[in-house]
Amino acid sequence: MTTAVLEPRAGRRCHNALNSLHATHYFAPELGKELGAIGVTDPRAVNFAVRSAALGPVGAGTVAATFYNYKYELVARHVPAVWETASPEDVLAARARAVDASLRRLLGAEVLASAEMAEAARLALRAAEACTRAGRPLYSGHADLPVPEEPHLAYWHAATLLREHRGDGHLAVLVAAGLDGLEAVVTHTATGKGMAPKWVSVTRGWTRQDWDAAVDRLRSRGLLDADGELTQAGVALREQIESDTDRLDRAPYEHLGAEGVARLTELATAFARTAVGSGAFPADLFGKG
C-alpha cells in the first residue's frame, strides 16, 4: 500500500473532477432513451432507478435515506413501483449502454481509446481499492458490481465508486451537523457552488414553500442572514462539513499517493472540461438564482 502526505484538499479536488464526468449521465439524453426502451419513462423515476439499482429492488425509505436531499413523497411516487416495470439488473444494463453512448458523444472515440483514458482507469481503480464498506450503503452496492473491461467504462465505474464513497461519508457529516436534506441543499446553494433552486424543485421535489421554511430554520440558527446569504457562522459550518468529509474520504487518495492523485486529477479535469465543452450540463444548473 502506498502512503503519502497529501495536501489537505487534494482528495477533494480529485473527487470533484471525477464526479463531474460521472454526473454527466444524469443529464444525457441517452439515459432517457435506454431507460425508456425498458419502460421507465418519467425522468425522476429514471434518476431513482439508475442510482439505486445497485442496492436491488429497494423501497422509497431506502432511496430517501441514501439519497438524503430528495423529498420522500416524490421518491414514493416512483419507488418501489419502478421495479414492477424494470428489474434492477435491466436498469443497470441500460445505464451501462447509456454511459457508453454518452461518453462517446461527449469525449469522442479518440479520447476513449487513448492511453490517457487507460491510465486514468488504472489510477481511479487503484484509489478505489482503499474504499471501505462500513456505513456506506451506496458505495457498497456499487462495489458489488463487476468492473467493465473497456477502459472508459472502467474509469466511469471507478469514478462512481469514489463518488458514492465520499457521498455516503458526507451524509454522516450532514447528520452530525444537524442539517436535514433540504437545509443541506439550501446552504450549499448559498455558497454559489450548489444547484440552482429551480433545479432543486425539478429534481428533488421540494416546493417554494419547503425552501422558504428551510431558509427560516437556518436563519433561526444564525446560519443565513436576512438576504439568504451565509452568515459567518454559516460559512464556517459549510467549511467544517467539507473538511470533515475530506477526513472521512482520505483513505483512497492516501492509498493512491500524492503523485498518483495529482496525475489522476490532471486527467480527470481534462476529461471533464471536454465533456462540459460538449454541452454535458444545462447552462443554468448551478448558482443562487
Side-chain angles (χ1 to χ4, degrees):
M1 176 176 177
T2 301
T3 59
V5 177
L6 295 174
E7 190 276 327
R9 296 188 180 183
R12 188 194 308 182
R13 287 194 296 269
C14 190
H15 160 267
N16 288 344
L18 290 162
N19 186 48
S20 292
L21 192 66
H22 164 89
T24 60
H25 83 292
Y26 291 116
F27 301 92
E30 293 88 350
L31 188 65
K33 176 182 177 181
E34 291 292 346
L35 269 291
I38 60 172
V40 183
T41 56
D42 188 291
R44 286 174 286 198
V46 168
N47 183 30
F48 297 141
V50 296
R51 192 174 176 210
S52 69
L55 300 176
V58 294
T62 299
V63 172
T66 54
F67 286 25
Y68 198 73
N69 55 27
Y70 288 72
K71 192 169 186 176
Y72 174 81
E73 289 78 7
L74 174 63
V75 177
R77 286 207 293 271
H78 302 286
V79 178
V82 68
W83 308 127
E84 298 175 6
T85 301
S87 70
E89 293 78 12
D90 288 342
V91 168
L92 289 170
R95 181 181 68 170
R97 293 191 297 271
V99 169
D100 179 51
S102 65
L103 291 181
R104 291 182 185 281
R105 173 176 56 84
L106 293 171
L107 299 181
E110 184 175 345
V111 171
L112 267 57
S114 68
E116 289 78 10
M117 179 60 74
E119 180 186 6
R122 289 193 300 270
L123 291 170
L125 288 169
R126 189 184 309 159
E129 292 172 354
C131 292
T132 55
R133 291 181 180 271
R136 290 181 162 94
L138 276 173
Y139 160 74
S140 293
H142 285 87
D144 285 340
L145 302 177
V147 178
E149 293 184 5
E150 299 88 344
H152 65 287
L153 295 180
Y155 173 73
W156 187 87
H157 173 76
T160 302
L161 296 181
L162 293 165
R163 185 265 182 120
E164 299 297 7
H165 185 268
R166 183 179 179 88
D168 286 333
H170 186 60
L171 300 194
V173 174
L174 292 175
V175 172
L179 294 178
D180 65 28
L182 182 53
E183 291 165 356
V185 171
V186 172
T187 56
H188 191 208
T189 296
T191 68
K193 300 177 182 179
M195 188 175 289
K198 165 194 168 182
W199 284 97
V200 174
S201 176
V202 169
T203 63
R204 269 65 173 164
W206 301 104
T207 66
R208 185 75 238 184
Q209 291 74 22
D210 294 327
W211 182 280
D212 291 343
V215 168
D216 288 343
R217 294 194 299 273
L218 293 165
R219 282 178 179 150
S220 72
R221 291 177 58 184
L223 300 175
L224 291 182
D225 63 20
D227 296 322
E229 300 291 332
L230 289 170
T231 63
Q232 185 175 356
V235 170
L237 179 61
R238 286 301 321 186
E239 290 178 349
Q240 188 62 52
I241 285 169
E242 295 304 325
S243 178
D244 288 346
T245 302
D246 290 343
R247 176 174 52 82
L248 294 180
D249 192 41
R250 197 166 179 82
Y253 303 100
E254 287 185 335
H255 178 69
L256 183 57
E259 290 185 5
V261 170
R263 178 57 173 161
L264 180 56
T265 303
E266 177 186 12
L267 293 168
T269 298
F271 297 151
R273 285 176 176 167
T274 298
V276 170
S278 297
F281 299 107
D284 60 350
L285 180 61
F286 300 107
K288 299 181 182 181

